[in-house]
Amino acid sequence: MTSLDAHRVMDAIWKMESARIVAGLVRMVGDVGRAEELAQDAVLAALEQWPEAGVPDNPGAWLMAIAKRRAVDHLRREERRDRGQEQLAHDLVTRADDGARDVDDVLGALDGEVGDDVLRLMFVSCHPVLSTEARVALTLRLIGGLRTDEIARAFLVAESAVAQRIVRAKRALADARVPFEVPSGPDRAARLSSVLEVIYLVFNEGYAATAGDDLMRPSLCLEALRLGRVVAELAPGEAEVHGLVALMELQQSRSAARTGPSGEPVPLHEQNRGRWDPLLIRRGVAALLRAREAGGPLGPYVLQAAVAACHARAATPEETDWPQIAALYEALVRVLPTPVVQLNRAVALAMAYGPRAGLTLVETLTTEPALKGYHLLPAVRGDLLARLGRHGEARAEFERAASLTRNAAERAVLLRRAATCAEDAGPANTAETAETLNTAETAETLKTAETLKTGRTGPADSGKRVTPATRGGPASGRRAAEAGVTLGEAMRLFLARPDLSADTVRSYNQTLSRLCRHLGEDVPLRDVTSHLVAEIFAAAWGTAAGATWNRHRAALRSFASWAAEHGWAAAGLAAPLDRRPEPRARIRPIDRSLLRVLWERPETPLRERTLWRLLYESAAPAEWALSLDVEDLDLPGMRGEVRTRGHRLRWQSGTAALLPLLVGDRRRGPLFLADRRPGSGRMPAAADLCPHTGRGRLSYERAEYLFKRATRDLDPEGGGYTLHRLRHSRLAHLGEDGWSAPMLMSLSGHASARTLHGFVRVPRPADTVA
């Protein structure tokens, strides 16, 4: 095992075992900060020993054994006189330890109440003495096993800020002498509420990000679900725990359908309900039933889960039981009388009984101080005003909402709604704002300005489906008919032509999707001018290499010619775009030492690490590696067949160690998968779709971007290296090692030895000895 392998294994084990290890150590030493330090000492010992000795059969118990020895040393140094700790230290020193046993039995004997250490640790990390931000950071660190940089990246804050929160939280717990116990009576209910609040905050930040370019951060949703399931196992008699799990399961079931291929929000009434996860829906309903079986009055999470279940039961948007949802929100208001819950109730009333009923309630919330900077209040008000035909007022509300939100995806939706109102379009459906901006399905307690979220809510459902042609009413429908085909419709027709190969469709789709993202799919094609296209090209690919620019230019020229033949677009749409020179000078190889640094980075995701090693070791074009399918691989023979080229890629031990981990239990489909599932309107060909995960094939454009970003700090010029340069670096290094041109041709797939003149000396006919 290499050092890199040990880091990878440790990352996986730490996320599973850290909570139990740290919790057991807290019981021994009575200090969270000291316990985490002891656990990290055990991790360092593992990283030193496992590369040579191998991973033990029970790595969690191994880490616990090392950590408890460190704890005994600490107890001796500190000369603590507490009888329980002395008894524990004596037992640990005197009994035999083969590395496979832990101290659960001893710890249980020392504690008067039999309980779970992880549950105790969760109550400690969510203690009211800490701020909300500190509770979230400490919970993800201690219970979730996330590193400081992972928490910072998830919440888009500086790593130093997260580190300071964690340090201050540990100090505050030590100063307050918070006992390591599960509280009883009224204190238990209050502390449990804090635990659930932290978990739901984490989920909401993942489900509807406060800031940034992406609407969702799936890793946070999954982490919150995991924490919720842990608490449900540890506290099976608590109805609100099961209610929160049910709520998160039902919301997460729609995650694959909530965004389009470019990350744009998809309203619930336009989502492909076939992509909702039936397993998560069944789990959510089962958790809701367990919550009701637990008895007691219905709490906020149980009521919100019941609202989510109403949406999950509706096979179509028209079947949504909005009167029932409005009744549930009325009950929720009595339990949780916050302005955010009232706002959600207003949307439900509008859907059930008309926009005027909802607007009457919204008007009473405009003077609420807590909602002063909450962007969903003007968003909902603007939507209801638009439905009532008051477009001027609606436009002002949408623009105000756009100025308040920090999420780019939400801002784009709000500005589009404002533009629609400016054109005197007909009333849009309340559900578009409700789902896209997360206003109608769930609510949570409105936090103070110091919290990570400010009244963030879950998703909403919709009424009847609204298409681009009917959204604006009769007037806008006539304008659409007069304008002819839209950009999105033309793009889909163009890419559906039978004369285009799968590779060409993928390449053209990258270019045309960028146009749709900037201009909107609903814009009439005849309104797309060469000036607008030139601006988009300059912004998207102005600094790209000549080959990249020319590839996108060729795609646009082909599309423009096709559209002009149909009379849908003016001729010369790509006229301002000049072809750029593509210099053929020899590419300088990446230094070997820099590549070693790149291979050994533990934070690099497995997919990227595997792709980069494969490209380097095979010296093959990136397009060939990305076209590989799982069934093309011969793992024992360390080779894979590029069927479209009739060539076999061959790799070495570095790739051979990573590929089985990347493939897992998959048997068919693309080897390298995209980050998320494709949208219903952008479904790739069956050959480019993984039957196991539903995700599509990783694109060259995305792979190139990831490699450039990862190597930016290694590149002296600061721009990052390209995949093409990585391949040529391998050829240059092999040439330096004495490989001949035929050997390089056999490895890399070059058709001619003359193309290798930059790496080895290719003899001319005159140089050949007869």
Side-chain angles (χ1 to χ4, degrees), residues 220-234:
L220 282 181
C221 292
L222 297 177
E223 185 59 35
L225 262 174
R226 188 177 73 83
L227 293 176
R229 292 165 183 163
V230 168
V231 179
E233 292 177 1
L234 301 179

Side-chain angles (χ1 to χ4, degrees), residues 733-756:
H733 295 158
L734 293 175
E736 294 169 359
D737 294 340
W739 280 48
S740 64
M743 294 169 64
L744 292 181
M745 288 176 60
S746 175
L747 175 68
S748 64
H750 277 75
S752 170
R754 294 190 177 277
T755 59
L756 298 169

Side-chain angles (χ1 to χ4, degrees), residues 426-500:
N429 192 290
T430 299
E432 179 170 354
T433 299
E435 159 60 12
T436 304
L437 305 179
N438 311 291
T439 58
E441 182 177 316
T442 60
E444 62 167 339
T445 305
L446 187 65
K447 313 301 186 302
T448 66
E450 296 179 353
T451 62
L452 291 171
K453 312 285 297 177
T454 305
R456 172 68 62 184
T457 64
D461 208 338
S462 66
K464 75 172 191 176
R465 181 179 178 84
V466 181
T467 64
T470 62
R471 182 180 298 159
S476 62
R478 286 193 298 272
R479 285 196 297 270
E482 295 169 358
V485 70
T486 64
L487 175 60
E489 293 167 345
M491 183 190 80
R492 285 186 283 273
L493 291 171
F494 174 71
L495 296 178
R497 293 186 302 157
D499 58 319
L500 298 180

Side-chain angles (χ1 to χ4, degrees), residues 382-666:
D383 186 81
L384 298 177
L385 289 170
R387 291 183 63 191
L388 293 171
R390 297 158 62 177
H391 304 296
E393 297 173 78
R395 175 189 178 184
E397 291 295 316
F398 284 129
E399 290 176 344
R400 179 168 175 265
S403 69
L404 292 175
T405 183
R406 291 186 290 150
N407 185 277
E410 290 184 339
R411 186 182 303 111
V413 172
L414 290 164
L415 292 176
R416 284 200 299 270
R417 296 297 307 277
T420 301
C421 291
E423 296 173 0
D424 293 331
N429 192 290
T430 299
E432 179 170 354
T433 299
E435 159 60 12
T436 304
L437 305 179
N438 311 291
T439 58
E441 182 177 316
T442 60
E444 62 167 339
T445 305
L446 187 65
K447 313 301 186 302
T448 66
E450 296 179 353
T451 62
L452 291 171
K453 312 285 297 177
T454 305
R456 172 68 62 184
T457 64
D461 208 338
S462 66
K464 75 172 191 176
R465 181 179 178 84
V466 181
T467 64
T470 62
R471 182 180 298 159
S476 62
R478 286 193 298 272
R479 285 196 297 270
E482 295 169 358
V485 70
T486 64
L487 175 60
E489 293 167 345
M491 183 190 80
R492 285 186 283 273
L493 291 171
F494 174 71
L495 296 178
R497 293 186 302 157
D499 58 319
L500 298 180
S501 67
D503 290 340
T504 303
V505 170
R506 276 197 299 270
S507 178
Y508 284 4
N509 184 59
Q510 293 171 3
T511 306
L512 300 179
S513 295
R514 182 65 66 94
L515 292 180
C516 288
R517 196 182 312 160
H518 284 269
L519 299 176
E521 292 192 10
D522 295 341
V523 64
L525 185 56
R526 72 180 189 184
D527 291 346
V528 179
T529 65
S530 59
H531 176 70
L532 286 174
V533 170
E535 288 183 349
I536 294 172
F537 262 66
W541 303 292
T543 59
T548 302
W549 172 276
N550 293 336
R551 176 168 60 87
H552 290 293
R553 174 181 176 270
L556 178 64
R557 283 167 59 87
S558 180
F559 173 72
S561 300
W562 175 85
E565 291 175 1
H566 288 75
W568 294 340
L573 198 60
L577 305 177
D578 296 327
R579 180 177 176 83
R580 291 183 177 179
E582 301 181 25
R584 300 294 182 181
R586 184 189 178 196
I587 300 174
R588 296 195 310 274
I590 305 172
D591 190 85
R592 299 188 199 220
S593 62
L594 296 180
L595 290 176
R596 282 194 293 271
V597 171
L598 184 63
W599 305 150
E600 294 173 1
R601 284 182 172 174
E603 70 272 13
T604 304
L606 176 62
R607 179 190 62 182
E608 283 86 290
R609 186 184 303 128
T610 307
L611 174 61
W612 301 342
R613 290 300 294 262
L614 174 61
L615 290 178
Y616 182 73
E617 293 181 357
S618 68
E623 295 90 339
W624 294 12
L626 292 171
S627 71
L628 286 175
D629 293 329
V630 174
E631 56 266 35
D632 298 333
L633 305 180
D634 176 8
L635 295 179
M638 294 196 295
R639 61 185 181 179
E641 182 181 1
V642 184
R643 286 179 286 181
T644 58
R645 301 287 179 174
H647 179 74
R648 289 183 179 272
L649 270 66
R650 299 195 300 274
W651 52 81
Q652 296 177 329
S653 59
T655 305
L658 298 174
L659 274 175
L661 301 174
L662 180 67
V663 173
D665 57 357
R666 291 187 289 143

Side-chain angles (χ1 to χ4, degrees), residues 199-240:
I199 295 174
Y200 198 34
L201 277 172
V202 174
F203 181 85
N204 271 305
E205 181 60 34
Y207 195 85
T210 305
D213 296 330
D214 297 325
L215 183 70
M216 297 187 298
R217 297 183 190 128
S219 59
L220 282 181
C221 292
L222 297 177
E223 185 59 35
L225 262 174
R226 188 177 73 83
L227 293 176
R229 292 165 183 163
V230 168
V231 179
E233 292 177 1
L234 301 179
E238 298 289 346
E240 277 291 83

